[in-house]
């Protein structure tokens, strides 16, 4: 019966074309030169979802203060990070693009895009447009939803698609903080260090956001308190970045059997003088060292690819701060990068929404 019904379906009810899968990471300068870093910073920081202040103020802040003065300093750090093949974030992205394509097979077309700089989201989508795709799935590489990351990708995708006369079926992956293979990927990376060394404490450092951006996400105006309300993920705070970060920590702690009192969640990469979500990683590190903590295993579960914020900020700068404050052993758990578990995560996100 099933076979005869399927055979009688008109062609318009059958899958005609392939599925486009656009995997999107934040972005990277085209090179570690100061002009390219300045160009990247300008595009990134001029996004109204990243610096959410009026356009004129944002333009002056970015183009007259941040980009001119920060670009030379950032360029030096990018040169330290850069590999012979290029930016690690882009290198891992290209590897994942190929590996995911191999796993998904001929019914899918996988393309890598960056929210800022190259390869651009618009270029990837325009290539999809020419292929006669049946549908498009957009997978932002941000485990936890934030307006400044996932929300910005949504906005850019829709800016491009609203110009199309015909729009294919479209699906976005919103977040994947509780995906078992995503969690297991970090667990697997951590276990090898835990087998080699006994750590006094475990630190889970996530990229920070201004408190006002978190508060604006609470449309009720009653739920968000930037404190104990993040103690569990509920229907009312499920889209809160801070709450999702704490949920990620809880899942990793449970999977790694870390005792209560031996771990902390914190937030890094502050910019400007306005309050950002707390506790701040720099302060936490000093407090841990001050309490006599000598060894720390550090995680950056907001990043699926190693980049400046993981390799340099957490892996080197925070290590130096910890040792200067009295600590002795600091170890960064690498991101998922192009690991098999990360590819398995992506396959599942694409095939099983």
């Amino acid at each position: 019966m099933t076979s005869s019904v399927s055979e009688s379906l008109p062609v318009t009810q059958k899958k005609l074309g392939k599925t486009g899968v656009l995997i999107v990471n934040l972005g990277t300068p085209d090179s570690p030169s100061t002009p390219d870093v300045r160009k990247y910073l300008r595009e990134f920081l001029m996004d109204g979802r990243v610096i959410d202040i009026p356009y004129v103020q944002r333009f002056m802040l970015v183009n007259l203060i941040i980009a001119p003065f920060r670009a030379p300093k950032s360029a030096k750090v990018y040169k330290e990070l850069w590999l012979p093949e290029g930016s690690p974030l882009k290198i891992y992205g290209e590897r994942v693009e190929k590996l995911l394509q191999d796993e998904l097979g001929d019914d899918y077309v996988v393309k890598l895009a960056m929210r800022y700089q190259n390869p651009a989201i618009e270029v990837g989508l325009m290539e999809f447009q020419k292929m006669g795709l049946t549908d498009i799935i957009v997978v932002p590489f941000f485990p936890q939803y934030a307006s400044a990351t996932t929300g910005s990708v949504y906005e850019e995708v829709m800016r491009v698609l609203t110009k199309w006369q015909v729009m294919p079926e479209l699906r976005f992956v919103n977040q994947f903080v509780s995906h078992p293979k995503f969690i297991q990927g970090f667990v697997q990376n951590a276990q090898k260090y835990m087998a080699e060394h006994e750590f006094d404490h475990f630190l889970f450092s996530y990229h920070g956001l201004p408190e006002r951006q978190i508060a604006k996400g609470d449309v009720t105006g009653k739920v968000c308190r930037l404190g104990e309300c993040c103690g569990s993920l509920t229907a009312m705070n499920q889209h809160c970045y801070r709450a999702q970060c704490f949920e990620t920590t809880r899942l990793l702690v449970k999977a790694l059997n870390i005792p209560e009192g031996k771990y902390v969640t914190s937030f890094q990469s502050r910019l400007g003088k306005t309050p950002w979500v707390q506790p701040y990683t720099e302060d936490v590190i000093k407090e841990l060292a001050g309490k006599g903590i000598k060894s720390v295993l550090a995680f950056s579960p907001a990043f699926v690819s190693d980049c400046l914020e993981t390799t340099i900020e957490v892996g080197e700068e925070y290590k130096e701060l910890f040792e200067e404050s009295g600590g002795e052993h600091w170890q960064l758990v690498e991101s998922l990068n192009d690991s098999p578990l990360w590819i398995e995560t992506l396959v599942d996100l694409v095939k099983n929404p």
Side-chain angles (χ1 to χ4, degrees), residues 32 265 344:
T265 297
E344 290 177 25

Side-chain angles (χ1 to χ4, degrees), residues 74-299:
S74 295
K76 292 180 181 178
V77 180
Y78 273 111
K79 287 176 183 176
E80 182 181 350
L81 176 73
W82 223 255
L83 299 174
E85 312 95 295
S87 165
L89 186 142
K90 190 173 182 181
I91 292 168
Y92 286 124
E94 291 170 344
R95 291 177 186 171
V96 170
E97 178 186 47
K98 183 181 184 304
L99 291 167
L100 182 59
Q101 180 68 73
D102 291 343
E103 286 297 316
L104 290 174
D106 293 339
D107 288 338
Y108 296 84
V109 180
V110 180
K111 287 197 174 295
L112 170 69
M114 299 293 177
R115 175 59 187 89
Y116 312 105
Q117 296 298 284
N118 301 301
I121 287 176
E122 184 166 13
V123 172
L125 289 174
M126 296 303 286
E127 290 182 17
F128 280 167
Q129 187 183 33
K130 300 172 184 176
M131 295 179 182
L133 300 176
T134 299
D135 54 333
I136 295 174
I137 302 171
V138 180
V139 188
F141 275 17
F142 311 113
Q144 303 83 18
Y145 175 90
S147 173
T149 53
T150 308
S152 181
V153 170
Y154 285 13
E155 187 173 90
E156 177 63 9
V157 168
M158 294 313 300
R159 182 192 71 80
V160 175
L161 290 186
T162 50
K163 299 175 183 178
W164 293 11
Q165 185 65 33
V166 177
M167 297 185 189
E169 185 173 334
L170 179 66
R171 175 165 69 85
F172 290 100
V173 172
N174 183 270
Q175 51 87 4
F176 44 92
V177 295
S178 60
H179 195 287
K181 290 184 183 294
F182 163 70
I183 296 298
Q184 188 57 34
F186 275 99
V187 168
Q188 189 177 84
N189 288 348
Q191 284 175 333
K192 61 186 177 187
Y193 298 113
M194 295 172 70
E196 297 170 354
H197 191 92
E198 184 173 346
F199 293 92
D200 298 333
H201 215 82
F202 300 83
L203 181 141
F204 299 86
S205 181
Y206 299 82
H207 199 288
L209 289 174
E211 287 185 349
R212 66 176 182 273
Q213 291 188 11
I214 301 291
K216 285 197 300 186
D218 177 15
V219 295
T220 68
K222 300 176 181 179
V223 177
C224 181
R225 295 293 180 269
L226 293 167
E228 294 182 1
C229 53
C230 296
S232 62
L233 204 60
T234 67
M236 297 307 295
N237 72 355
Q238 62 179 309
H239 299 298
C240 170
Y241 174 76
R242 189 174 187 271
Q244 289 181 8
C245 291
F246 276 89
E247 177 71 4
T248 305
T249 295
R250 282 191 292 271
L251 293 170
L252 287 169
V253 163
K254 181 179 180 181
L256 288 165
N257 295 313
I258 299 173
E260 198 65 35
K262 289 195 68 174
Y263 67 91
V264 62
T265 297
S266 60
F267 299 88
Q268 65 188 74
S269 309
R270 279 183 291 169
L271 178 65
K273 298 181 179 180
T274 58
W276 281 44
V277 288
Q278 298 182 45
Y280 300 136
T281 300
E282 297 96 323
D283 295 343
V284 167
I285 290 171
K286 294 175 184 177
E287 290 172 6
L288 291 176
K291 292 177 181 178
I293 299 297
K294 296 300 182 183
S295 60
V296 169
L297 186 62
F299 299 72

